[in-house]
Amino acid sequence: MNTPLKNDRLLRALRRQATDTTPIWLMRQAGRYLPEYRAIRERAGSFMALAKNPHYACEVSLQPLVRFDLDAAILFSDILTLPDAMGLELFFTPGEGPQFARPLRKASDITALSVPDMDAELRYVMDAVQLIRRELNERVPLIGFAGSPWTLACYMIEGRSSHDFASALALCRNEPTLAHHLLEILASSVSHYLSAQAAAGAQALMIFDTWGGLLPQTAFDEFSLRYLRQILATLTSDRHARELPLILFAKGANWHLSKLATSGCTALGVDWTITLAQARHATANRVALQGNLDPAVMRAPPHIIRSQARSVLDSYGKHPGHIFNLGHGITPDVNPEHVAVLIDEVHRYGHTLRETWIESSQDFSP
């Protein structure tokens, strides 16, 4: 028999059930803004050495929960560990971000790809999930994650981060059949990867479509949404993942929120370029919403952080189904004390909103 979670706010909110206050976790909550993370990163010697060591990954995943009253832990890893396991050889250069030693430069590079063996090439991820889950001792739920096929393809084709990922967009435009072949392989790989994390102990799953907003509106359905639907359909029929809530975050794709809400996900992450009131209206209360404080606010004085947090909560309104988060990842220059201020305000003010909850699914007012 599974031991009940001591704090199940996140899972209840994802299912749009009553909670005593608004749950909060932060994208990249384990990372460079924490001095204890920087210390263990130095000890490991490199990002990849840290990420591929389950004990280090566990320690880093738990560090934010030692400092803060967060409502979820998230696996410490990277979305690009999957293409690394497919043979592209991921590495990180200080100041330049992720890079691949063997990016996809020609058609034969793509046709040679196959779904990696989760028990071999990615065993270290599953070991980390198992270890984190055990060390959490059911304090809060553990989130597993992966990148979307489109976002992974962007990095794999470009070989590194980019502002426009022009090479990936060109492949879709000039060689759509080859692009779809790549995305099919990646969709299958992501499905297997998330299923394996669920089997290892993840209690919620998230897909990051970080670069979905780069696609022209007419191409989003074909090269991103199609494969997100495919993955979600696979997971909802998978014996390990079918009971888990699925969060989908497509940054910069707010004009597609209505379609994304019918993709099969449990919740949608929302970036900071739209209000949650607008997002609720666009999604017609079909899914929970996660977000969406502008990450830049975290560099402001505490009273502004508190005020902006209340604005986000007010925008969502007095309704179930909100998970507070940033509209993207926390940045390395943030003062950890500001994170504590944010969490305190979300829990405090979120509790006052719960006292006058509106349950009607037809009310889309802020």
Side-chain angles (χ1 to χ4, degrees):
M1 180 182 295
N2 291 331
T3 305
L5 277 164
K6 299 178 180 73
N7 176 350
D8 66 349
R9 286 175 188 147
L10 175 83
L11 300 185
R12 294 184 64 82
L14 285 170
R15 296 186 172 104
R16 290 177 287 158
Q17 297 170 348
T19 56
D20 62 326
T21 189
T22 304
I24 176 173
W25 71 277
L26 304 175
M27 288 183 279
R28 296 181 186 159
Q29 66 186 23
R32 290 176 290 170
Y33 75 102
L34 291 176
E36 54 267 41
Y37 168 83
R38 296 194 295 270
I40 195 171
R41 164 67 177 76
E42 184 176 353
R43 192 191 327 157
S46 71
F47 177 89
M48 293 305 293
L50 189 155
K52 290 190 174 185
N53 182 313
H55 294 280
Y56 282 159
C58 176
E59 183 176 347
V60 168
S61 299
L62 298 178
Q63 283 175 345
L65 280 83
V66 174
R67 272 188 180 256
F68 309 120
D69 185 23
L70 290 156
D71 295 298
I74 185 168
L75 165 70
F76 179 80
S77 187
D78 193 275
I79 63 170
L80 300 181
T81 54
L82 187 55
D84 177 69
M86 300 172 81
L88 275 69
E89 298 180 17
L90 176 64
F91 66 96
F92 286 76
T93 301
E96 296 185 24
Q99 297 180 55
F100 287 116
R102 300 175 59 197
L104 305 178
R105 294 299 189 217
K106 53 187 184 296
S108 60
D109 293 336
I110 293 175
T111 56
L113 293 172
S114 61
V115 177
D117 185 335
M118 301 298 150
D119 286 328
E121 287 90 347
L122 289 159
R123 182 70 257 167
Y124 68 92
V125 175
M126 310 317 152
D127 288 344
V129 171
Q130 291 176 338
L131 187 56
I132 297 163
R133 177 72 186 273
R134 185 173 74 238
E135 292 299 314
L136 279 171
N137 192 29
E138 305 306 321
R139 174 181 171 183
V140 294
L142 173 61
I143 302 169
F145 69 92
S148 73
W150 164 249
T151 289
L152 295 179
C154 284
Y155 286 105
M156 294 166 75
I157 294 166
E158 203 74 33
R160 60 194 304 152
S161 188
S162 167
H163 293 298
D164 58 10
F165 288 98
S167 298
L169 291 168
L171 182 71
C172 294
R173 181 178 61 251
N174 301 331
E175 299 183 76
T177 300
L178 187 60
H180 282 300
H181 179 79
L182 171 59
L183 293 166
E184 285 283 355
I185 294 170
L186 288 171
S188 181
S189 298
V190 170
S191 297
H192 281 83
Y193 189 42
L194 290 174
S195 173
Q197 290 183 44
Q203 293 154 293
L205 300 172
M206 184 164 176
I207 301 175
F208 289 87
D209 190 21
T210 310
W211 300 112
L214 289 179
L215 284 163
Q217 291 193 32
T218 54
F220 182 82
D221 288 9
E222 181 179 359
F223 294 105
S224 182
L225 182 58
R226 168 179 167 179
Y227 296 100
L228 294 171
R229 290 185 186 277
Q230 183 175 313
I231 293 165
L232 291 164
T234 300
L235 291 175
T236 52
S237 62
D238 178 83
R239 67 188 181 93
H240 300 299
R242 63 190 172 201
E243 300 299 325
L244 303 190
L246 301 164
I247 309 166
L248 176 57
F249 176 54
K251 180 174 174 285
N254 293 325
W255 52 86
H256 298 296
L257 284 175
S258 179
K259 290 181 287 188
L260 287 165
T262 64
S263 64
C265 66
T266 310
L268 284 177
V270 182
D271 70 29
W272 70 96
T273 61
I274 187 175
T275 69
L276 289 182
Q278 292 169 324
R280 284 194 70 244
H281 189 274
T283 57
N285 207 40
R286 289 188 292 264
V287 293
L289 295 180
Q290 179 176 279
N292 68 332
L293 185 70
D294 183 346
V297 170
M298 297 305 296
R299 298 194 293 271
H303 72 279
I304 293 179
I305 294 173
R306 290 184 182 275
S307 173
Q308 291 298 305
R310 292 193 298 271
S311 294
V312 170
L313 290 162
D314 284 337
S315 183
Y316 188 84
K318 302 172 183 178
H319 315 275
H322 179 210
I323 302 94
F324 198 101
N325 210 310
L326 303 181
H328 198 219
I330 191 168
T331 54
D333 56 351
V334 167
N335 183 339
E337 293 181 5
H338 289 191
V339 175
V341 168
L342 175 67
I343 294 167
D344 176 73
E345 189 63 26
V346 169
H347 283 158
R348 186 198 65 78
Y349 192 67
H351 179 72
T352 67
L353 292 177
R354 292 320 188 256
E355 294 175 350
T356 53
W357 238 348
I358 299 169
E359 297 289 349
S360 171
S361 61
Q362 301 304 311
D363 184 348
F364 303 118
S365 60

